[in-house]
Amino acid sequence: MYKLFLTLRYLRKRRIAYFAIAAVMLCSAMVLIVMSVMGGFLDLLKTKARGLLGDIIIDNRSYSGFPLYDEFIADISAWPEIEKATPVLYSYGLLRFSETTQTQTVRVVGIRLADVYVVNAFKSGLYYETYYPGTTSLAPQAQPRVGFDVQQTIEIRDERGTRVGTGPRPVLPPEYQAALERSWAAGLRDTLTPPTELTAILRGAGLPEIVGVYDLVDDHGPPRFTGNELPGLIIGRDIIAERLPTAAYKRFWAYPRGCVVALTLLPLSATGTADIPVKQPFRYVDDSRTGIYEIDSQHVYCDFELLQKLLQMHATERVDPETGRTIGTVPGRASQIQVKLRPQVAGRPVRPEAVAQRLSEHYHALAADPRFDLGFDDRLLIDRVEALTWEESQRHIIAPVENERRLVTILFGIISLVAVVLVLCILYMIVLQKTRDIGIVKSIGGSSTGVAAIFVTYGAAVGLVGALSGAALGIVFVHHINEIQDFLTWAFGWRVWSREVYSFDAIPSTVRVEDTVAVIVAAILAATLGSLLAAWRAGAMQPVEALRHE
Amino acid sequence: MSSATRPSAAARPPASADALLVAEAVQKTYAMGRTTLVVLRGCDLRVRAGEFVAIMGKSGSGKSTLLHILGALDVPQDGQVYFGGAPVFAPPGRRRLRTTALDVLSAAERRRIALRRRAFGFVFQFYHLLPELNVLENVLLARMVGTRVLAWPAARAAARADALAILERVGLRDRLRHRPSELSGGERQRVAIARALVHRPQILLADEPTGNLDAENGAALLALLKGLHADGQTIVLVTHDPGVAAQADRVLLLEGGRLRTV
Ligand SMILES: Nc1ncnc2c1ncn2[C@@H]1O[C@H](COP(=O)(O)OP(=O)(O)O)[C@@H](O)[C@H]1O
Ligand SMILES: [Mg+2]
């Protein structure tokens, strides 16, 4: 009983033990934070990759793309495992906003919007499509403008809710207004974006808020579409809007929905050289956020067929260079096919690796298919086509991060040895200070092993208290890590997490139970280990010598 | 002290050959660099149950060393000590002079630990109380030492009653919550005596208990010891003060590493 009693008493009376506890606490918190942030980074990387790409990606890693994508998709759509497949085209271009001279290089992605909605999580990252469902389209369209419904008079209140007058009700063109009212009725609210004058007025009147930025009609007349019809363009959110520290985005009056932007593209010839640039005006119909900064600050999305035509990758007639006569067709090309799988077929789960393997084989078989009379170049492009699961396709990104997580955890664990040394020093010091007490305890019948046990228990207790408080500290820190970062940025202008470097715009983190338990157990073991030397020293003291100690 | 809380001498197990504690040819030397300091050259001693024996000697003559060996705190190079007829140390050839941190692995050490827990009670010149513990806790510690954690809740009440009784006896019943630093020298020494007696040892070993006290406190302490002896407590007391030694039944002189009767 004396062991437990003295351990507890020494814990309470020896203030210096608090330093050891603090060291263990900080080290366990540090390791846990590192593990959680790296783990969260990894998790986010995986979910984002999957959300962006679908289950299987078919690609040949060539800027020239590959042919027969539609024929291939038609074939595989009959497979029971395939839910949907869609071609994607990638290119580069210059984006220019018509109102300003601002120009920016962008990655242009050609998509079939309706298909992409099915294949990956693109739709959930769209802003206007969320609040005005069904209105985002890549087809040619005019600009929708907010007008007034003179039949309805609404009360206009200022921000304090005081009535300042009445006026006609602002409304969007009917299909847009109907879409808004549908999402409003379904309970969708944009609580993040700061209110505009328009949303404030509508909110004051208790009407569906027209969120986002729309141009107003010039004449106080009814809502309508203006301007010529131009194809739609979805723009990465970090290109068109400004991210606020609250994680909301601020859209600018200069860039209302439907405003004109121009894209300049460089088509590549079959030989891989850039010819004459082509310019195409678009209307900004929506903005997309994947959460990966590199994508959201660089990607714009337009219609697949349109981009193909602009890049001259669409199907054309093949002309005999000598006779000038048409001898067949050059097939159109795509850069990638994204595939969504059904989770199971006939009650059995679908294995993506196996399906990817079969998809590759099927594509290669197309090269020799007599149905298509392919040129040598096209066959070469098809030969390089490969189907990979999203995990495999992202392995080159995910595997290094996994390794890094392990490495950093080990490194921080090694750094945590400092805490072990500190526990050792402090306990050793206590043992030396308590030499006479050890002699006394032995003289009244305490065994050496018992005295040693006092200090081992002491070390374990330091470890336990330190590890538990460290885990708590780590969890709280991780939970508020973005607030802490925003505070640091605000107070010192010091941004630890760079969106540009780490892709994600917020610091990700996942506190895993198994990580927490591992850190706690390791900290307790380490502190106990640190106490062994001091405990041995205490146990090996000769009672008489300890009693004679000055 | 009532006989209800302290067993009488007759209630204790009979010592073999009527001597409770026997020392035979005990030798102790200290290695001092190249030379060796011979402190005990061969001490013989027999202490019967209920006896009050005083050992006198000049400072540095080896009194404390002898008492530590008698109380199984120290190990002599040669000679043997018997408690209740049983040897306390291993035969000289197989004797380890130093304890290790794993002393519970050695049978001889285990026996000595058991003796310290139950048979002996030590009182030191410099009190040797634990500064972090209050009076009651210092006394109770001597009972905790022999009790397992799980057995403590059941044993606690009895231990506490014994501790309170013995503290009453030494006149510190009203100072239970005081720290040693809040007590006078005489009070501290009385706490030390309470601690040495709370487990009802067969022998009280006192090493110059009055050495640090003024005349008045010293006399009071001596009176306390005499009272304990009158109740049947066996006492071995070490002192350099003839006045203190005169209170004992028998006085021995330690001189030149040997004990002789005066
Ligand atoms: N650990 C030790 N190492 C060396 N010499 C010691 C040690 N302990 C005691 N001595 C010596 O042994 C002698 C006897 O000491 P001690 O038993 O304390 O004498 P006393 O109690 O009679 O004053 C002294 O000369 C002392 O210096
Ligand atoms: Mg002495």
Side-chain angles (χ1 to χ4, degrees), chain A residues 1-2 5 9 13-14 434 436-437 440 442-445 447-449 536 539 542-545 547-548, chain B residues 65 68 73-74 98-101 103-104 113 116-117 124 128 130-133 137 145 147 152 195:
Chain A
M1 177 63 206
Y2 69 106
F5 178 70
R9 192 48 64 94
K13 294 290 171 181
R14 297 275 120 186
K434 294 268 130 205
R436 185 120 56 98
D437 292 15
I440 297 166
K442 286 191 172 179
S443 79
I444 60 171
S447 64
S448 296
T449 319
W536 184 266
Q542 306 304 304
V544 173
E545 284 167 24
L547 282 171
R548 286 186 193 261
Chain B
T65 306
H68 290 150
L73 283 182
D74 207 351
R98 299 182 69 82
T99 54
T100 66
D103 59 358
V104 287
I113 292 167
R116 286 181 223 149
R117 284 184 185 175
F124 304 97
H128 287 343
L130 296 185
E132 278 94 353
L133 310 190
E137 290 164 342
V145 156
T147 317
W152 180 245
R195 178 183 64 193

Side-chain angles (χ1 to χ4, degrees), chain B residues 138-157:
Chain B
N138 260 293
V139 174
L140 275 180
L141 193 66
R143 288 289 281 264
M144 290 182 189
V145 156
T147 317
R148 297 194 169 281
V149 177
L150 294 180
W152 180 245
R156 210 185 94 96

